[in-house]
Amino acid sequence: MKTNVKKMFNVRQLTILGLMTALVMIFSFTPIGSIPVGPLVITLNVIPVAIAAVTCGPVGGAVIGGVFGLFSFLQCIGVGVPSGMGAALFSINPFFAFVQRFIPRVLVGLIAGYAFKITKKLSNNGVGGAVAGFMTAFSNTLLFMTTLVLLFGRTDYMEKLMKGKNVIWFIITFVGVNALVEMLVATVVTAAAAAVLTKAGFIKGKAKA
């Protein structure tokens, strides 16, 4: 098992994964990484996922995405910073709550990793990092809300939130400023991190043009 892990990631990448795991834990267990806005929360946990994706590829992004998803689910049962929505969804269907919190975050890491690999070939690591950061936040919002509607759309809880709106309009109005802030922060921070980590030798390629 250890040999397979070493073949997949080098020592520097394992160090990054460890640091990003610790950062997700800090963001999940303290108010630092969560900014409540209504029933939703602006989360900074997308940033460690994005950084793992640009340094360790799609698999690394998926690993930290899974860590993010696991702690997001634990918040549904009061572990770490409590989630009012998570608690409500858990009370309705614990299994669906786990799927809705965990699976999208794993996919987010994969998407970010591939977005970086494709973009850096066309430009440089800084631009690749910006695209990966944006895609992490964007896909996190899109997949989170899509699974929320698909798995819980017919429940009384969701019908009260939707207030008769169609699905598209509900998603747009519900996430609103939260999603825009997450996308902006993730884009800027991941671009800067990609450039710095490239110069430090953690990522191969050009830091910037």
Side-chain angles (χ1 to χ4, degrees):
M1 182 67 178
K2 290 183 178 180
T3 302
N4 291 335
V5 171
K6 288 181 179 179
K7 286 182 179 179
M8 189 174 296
F9 304 112
N10 59 40
V11 175
R12 289 184 174 183
Q13 289 174 328
L14 288 173
T15 300
I16 291 292
L17 289 177
L19 290 173
M20 293 306 103
T21 297
L23 196 55
V24 170
M25 293 179 67
I26 292 171
F27 284 164
S28 299
F29 284 104
T30 70
I32 297 174
S34 303
I35 307 171
V37 179
L40 285 178
V41 172
I42 294 175
T43 177
L44 299 181
N45 268 327
V46 292
I47 294 174
V49 177
I51 293 175
V54 302
T55 54
C56 305
V59 175
V63 169
I64 301 304
V67 174
F68 172 23
L70 177 61
F71 283 109
S72 178
F73 172 71
L74 291 176
Q75 288 174 329
C76 297
I77 55 176
V79 178
V81 178
S83 168
M85 173 182 280
L89 298 181
F90 184 85
S91 67
I92 296 169
N93 189 313
F95 177 72
F96 279 0
F98 174 78
V99 171
Q100 194 264 336
R101 293 277 165 153
F102 183 77
I103 301 301
R105 273 55 189 267
V106 174
L107 296 177
V108 162
L110 284 172
I111 291 169
Y114 283 114
F116 178 73
K117 287 182 69 173
I118 294 169
T119 307
K120 75 172 186 176
K121 291 180 180 179
L122 301 175
S123 184
N124 56 68
N125 288 358
V127 174
V131 173
F134 173 82
M135 288 304 299
T136 303
F138 175 76
S139 59
N140 179 60
T141 298
L142 179 64
L143 294 174
F144 180 90
M145 293 303 297
T146 299
T147 52
L148 175 65
V149 172
L150 287 176
L151 297 177
F152 295 96
R154 295 183 180 275
T155 64
D156 291 339
Y157 175 77
M158 284 299 297
E159 288 180 357
K160 289 179 182 178
L161 285 180
M162 295 178 72
K163 298 178 181 178
K165 298 175 183 175
N166 66 56
V167 173
I168 302 299
W169 185 241
F170 165 69
I171 291 175
I172 292 172
T173 56
F174 194 61
V175 299
V177 176
N178 299 41
L180 293 176
V181 172
E182 283 185 9
M183 290 174 203
L184 177 61
V185 173
T187 298
V188 173
V189 173
T190 309
V196 170
L197 289 170
T198 300
K199 291 180 179 179
F202 282 83
I203 312 173
K204 294 181 180 179
K206 297 182 294 182
K208 58 183 180 179

